Amino acid sequence: FVIILNNLPLIWDLSNPKEGFVFLGRHDINSQDLYTYVSFIEQGKQGRWLFENLYMSEQQEPRLFRPSYILIGKAAWLLNIPSIWAYHLARIALTVVFFLVLWRFLGLFFRAQLEQIIAYVFTLSASGIGFAVARWAGGSTDVWIPESVTFLALAEAPHFILAQILMLLGFWFYIKGLKIGDIKQYLYASIAFITLSFEHPFNLGVVLGAILTSSVWLFVLKRYKAAYLLKGLLIIIPIIFTGVAYQVLELYQN
């Protein structure tokens, strides 16, 4: 139901063509950005592993590393489908992956299945009341910032929902690491977070904030061994910042 409702505008416009117009597969929020991502898919189809920002007129070296669009571009080349279709199909496929990851993640916190289902439904469909107060608060974040609402993120570019998948997976492995003190779990969490640093680097503020504050709080409560908490921080944080360092270096050199 969520997938159908989320893609209803796309389905409607594709099935109701207007004479003299071509539907470009975009919607109102972040409409300018869509073709930046489509250009990444095109570059991936053409054999590139590192991308240029084609919205710049200056000379540049192709050094943008975007794991999501590398994979989508290669898949589009393999299946011989238009980049705009690859964009939307990848978004829908990642939506399904997100559903599965979210369900398993919520299972960490709810023992009763009914409570887990309620949390699941709220996460996928809940929003603010910006639509009702737009006349007085036109800039309400829940109607124009996709990352603020999961339902909006599902309708955005593929890497938006991938970012949420990576955050949940990172937290999932981090929590497992705290329970058993297994270094492998922290390394898995680090892989999720470093991939996130190439897709939505600003989400790392949320990640680090959550990990640091929860570590302090769990240490005070003595819920987990202090050695497990320290081990997690010493492994995850340096690895995360290698991805950020690459992004900063790329910006300065290019």
Side-chain angles (χ1 to χ4, degrees):
F1 175 75
V2 169
I3 289 177
I4 292 171
L5 188 62
N6 198 266
N7 288 283
L8 206 54
L10 183 69
I11 296 167
W12 173 265
D13 283 306
L14 285 173
S15 57
N16 290 275
K18 291 181 172 58
E19 187 177 351
F21 290 90
V22 177
F23 177 56
L24 297 176
R26 68 182 187 180
H27 52 82
D28 192 47
I29 300 176
N30 283 352
S31 60
Q32 305 96 321
D33 297 346
L34 185 148
Y35 300 109
T36 302
Y37 310 135
V38 171
S39 79
F40 289 161
I41 297 172
E42 279 289 321
Q43 290 175 70
K45 287 173 70 174
Q46 293 166 11
R48 285 187 173 178
W49 295 87
L50 295 173
F51 302 145
E52 293 180 58
N53 178 4
L54 298 182
Y55 273 61
M56 292 172 59
S57 58
E58 295 86 356
Q59 283 292 112
Q60 59 183 298
E61 291 292 324
R63 283 202 291 260
L64 288 170
F65 181 61
R66 297 300 299 269
S68 57
Y69 294 108
I70 291 172
L71 293 175
I72 296 168
K74 302 307 177 190
W77 170 77
L78 190 65
L79 299 172
N80 193 28
I81 58 176
S83 293
I84 189 66
W85 279 104
Y87 172 95
H88 284 294
L89 290 173
R91 179 177 59 76
I92 294 168
L94 285 169
T95 296
V96 176
V97 174
F98 175 76
F99 289 163
L100 299 174
V101 171
L102 175 64
W103 178 255
R104 294 295 302 274
F105 183 76
L106 291 173
L108 293 172
F109 305 98
F110 299 97
R111 293 186 179 181
Q113 192 174 65
L114 179 59
E115 292 177 355
Q116 187 177 352
I117 290 170
I118 292 170
Y120 189 68
V121 171
F122 265 95
T123 304
L124 293 178
S125 60
S127 180
I129 58 169
F131 72 95
V133 298
R135 183 181 299 178
W136 305 280
S140 180
T141 58
D142 61 321
V143 296
W144 72 276
I145 298 181
E147 299 94 320
S148 68
V149 178
T150 298
F151 187 83
L152 282 182
L154 294 172
E156 257 301 327
H159 71 276
F160 275 66
I161 202 60
L162 176 61
Q164 291 202 24
I165 292 170
L166 292 170
M167 282 195 287
L168 291 182
L169 285 176
F171 288 136
W172 165 274
F173 289 120
Y174 173 65
I175 293 168
K176 288 184 70 175
L178 290 180
K179 289 181 177 179
I180 60 178
D182 185 2
I183 290 178
K184 285 191 299 185
Q185 303 301 325
Y186 296 133
L187 290 174
Y188 294 150
S190 300
I191 291 169
F193 291 143
I194 195 172
T195 306
L196 177 65
S197 73
F198 291 106
E199 298 293 350
H200 258 178
F202 51 83
N203 284 155
L204 293 177
V206 176
V207 169
L208 290 173
I211 287 179
L212 290 172
T213 53
S214 65
S215 295
V216 172
W217 187 239
L218 292 170
F219 175 75
V220 171
L221 294 177
K222 297 181 179 179
R223 289 284 301 274
Y224 298 107
K225 293 181 180 180
Y228 291 176
L229 290 164
L230 185 60
K231 191 189 300 183
L233 293 176
L234 290 176
I235 292 172
I236 291 173
I237 292 178
I239 292 177
I240 285 177
F241 277 105
T242 58
V244 176
Y246 177 87
Q247 298 276 59
V248 173
L249 188 65
E250 198 281 330
L251 284 172
Y252 272 103
Q253 291 186 343
N254 210 353

